Amino acid sequence: MSPTLSFPLNEAVSAILAAGVPSNLSSPKIGIICGSGLSGLSASLKEKFEVPYESIPGFLQSTVQGHKSSLAFGFLGDVPVVAMLGRFHPYEGHPIQETVFPVRVLKLLGVEKLIITNAAGGLNPANPVGTIIVINDHFSLPGLSGSNALMGPCPPAPFDMRFVPMSEAYSLEMRKAAFKAAHQLEFPREALAEGVYAHVSGPTYESRTEGRFLASLGCSAVGMSTVGEVVAARQAGLDVLVLSLITNAVIVTPQRSARDEVDKEIRGETIEVIAKEEASHEEVLEVGTRKAVEVGRLVERVVGILGGKY
Ligand code: HPA
């Protein structure tokens, strides 16, 4: 599919419904996008019905370890939801416009509120690994510099808003629901924080200077996903909540000095042995998997709070 030429939205919706989604699940009001290692949420879905992405026109396949590739319908508590188990990233080689196609399909299925989870690097020492950040704003380097998911021709209505504002992108009502949910679940206060998501294209993890740059802007979390989905969701009029699980601390300290070490060697001084500090996908997945239950419980409770309105 060319992002500029065709948007097989109706075909995608028809294929999903034709796959046999039970009628009590086929028009969910809440959609969920599960991040790296966080698809375990699907285990909590009651009466679950999965539609593989490969059977949906316009959907791509996730190529990332830790991501599945299916759309799961089911009840979280007693609220019907649809969860994307696996998402698409431009770094996999997909045009950013295509990665947000599923968000529009969720809208056409009836979704009004979207909950997005992701794994992210931590930029604020006050939010250690394991903290869940409730995102209240973003800084998108790709979006600012020519790789915005809304570039190109507008899809048909209701996705035809040309200039979409971002200053109120993250619903206050939904953010409050996240903090209420954490309170109800008796999470320790420091388990949840608020902050800004820095969006980078990846797939490299940040250099030290890049990390410092993002931290200096006041960003708390950095990741390679989510913002494309947020802008498409806002264009579609969906309310959005983003929960970022900090899976690793971004290394921001300046690199050790080769010259200083040579000078020390020349003076016969001992050189401190320092282990290499590097982010890894294994660490991201390990923390994601370890914390998936907590993130899942939070999402389920948020859905319970918001779902009372349907
Ligand atoms: N940087 C960017 N994306 C990420 C990171 C990170 O450190 N951790 C998980 N996703």
Side-chain angles (χ1 to χ4, degrees):
M1 176 186 78
S2 153
T4 52
L5 294 177
S6 97
F7 296 94
L9 288 162
N10 296 332
E11 291 86 334
V13 173
S14 302
I16 291 165
L17 298 179
V21 183
S23 58
N24 56 345
L25 287 174
S26 62
S27 56
K29 296 282 181 275
I30 298 183
I32 301 165
I33 302 179
C34 300
S36 292
L38 298 169
S39 292
L41 177 88
S42 75
S44 313
L45 291 180
K46 289 179 280 180
E47 299 179 37
K48 184 169 58 175
F49 186 92
E50 284 192 46
V51 184
Y53 288 166
E54 62 193 358
S55 66
I56 311 174
F59 273 55
L60 307 163
Q61 287 293 301
S62 175
T63 63
V64 187
Q65 195 205 346
H67 279 273
K68 296 177 73 179
S69 284
S70 68
L71 203 54
F73 293 80
F75 289 97
L76 258 191
D78 54 8
V79 182
V81 301
V82 57
M84 282 182 65
L85 310 181
R87 58 146 65 91
F88 317 120
H89 311 82
Y91 67 71
E92 295 172 86
H94 310 304
I96 190 161
Q97 292 89 344
E98 292 186 15
T99 64
V100 303
F101 178 80
V103 172
R104 296 180 177 139
V105 174
L106 297 189
K107 163 78 178 181
L108 294 181
L109 287 170
V111 165
E112 295 176 1
K113 295 190 188 302
L114 185 62
I115 301 174
I116 300 176
T117 64
N118 61 47
L123 293 162
N124 182 346
N127 308 140
V129 168
T131 309
I132 298 168
I133 313 273
V134 180
I135 299 300
N136 58 21
D137 199 7
H138 69 235
F139 173 74
S140 174
L141 264 175
L144 287 176
S145 57
S147 184
N148 187 303
L150 303 187
M151 287 175 74
C154 282
F159 309 108
D160 53 352
M161 192 196 293
R162 178 73 289 182
F163 301 107
V164 181
M166 283 295 118
S167 51
E168 301 283 353
Y170 299 87
S171 156
L172 179 62
E173 181 203 13
M174 293 180 77
R175 288 187 280 128
K176 285 170 97 166
F179 284 100
K180 284 178 197 164
H183 176 72
Q184 288 175 11
L185 293 168
E186 300 183 357
F187 282 9
R189 191 175 167 78
E190 63 278 10
L192 223 61
E194 283 186 280
V196 177
Y197 182 85
H199 175 216
V200 294
S201 70
T204 46
Y205 290 116
E206 293 64 48
S207 71
R208 293 165 188 260
T209 308
E210 289 163 350
R212 277 201 301 281
F213 170 66
L214 298 173
S216 74
L217 291 174
C219 301
S220 299
V222 52
M224 308 173 192
S225 67
T226 298
V227 170
E229 295 149 359
V230 169
V231 300
R234 294 304 299 147
Q235 184 187 48
L238 303 182
D239 294 332
V240 176
L241 173 67
V242 173
L243 301 173
S244 290
L245 172 67
I246 300 299
T247 53
N248 57 288
V250 176
I251 314 297
V252 294
T253 48
Q255 183 49 278
R256 57 205 281 191
S257 159
R259 162 158 278 174
D260 287 354
E261 290 197 8
V262 169
D263 286 345
K264 277 190 184 168
E265 280 171 18
I266 291 168
R267 291 197 299 269
E269 293 171 17
T270 45
I271 311 281
E272 202 188 338
V273 181
I274 306 174
K276 278 197 171 160
E277 298 175 294
E278 287 178 326
S280 76
H281 190 52
E282 289 68 34
E283 180 187 15
V284 169
L285 281 185
E286 190 271 314
V287 176
T289 311
R290 186 152 47 83
K291 287 286 195 173
V293 173
E294 201 175 300
V295 177
R297 287 178 67 214
L298 186 68
V299 169
E300 183 167 352
R301 185 57 71 108
V302 169
V303 167
I305 292 171
L306 299 170
K309 310 218 163 91
Y310 295 117

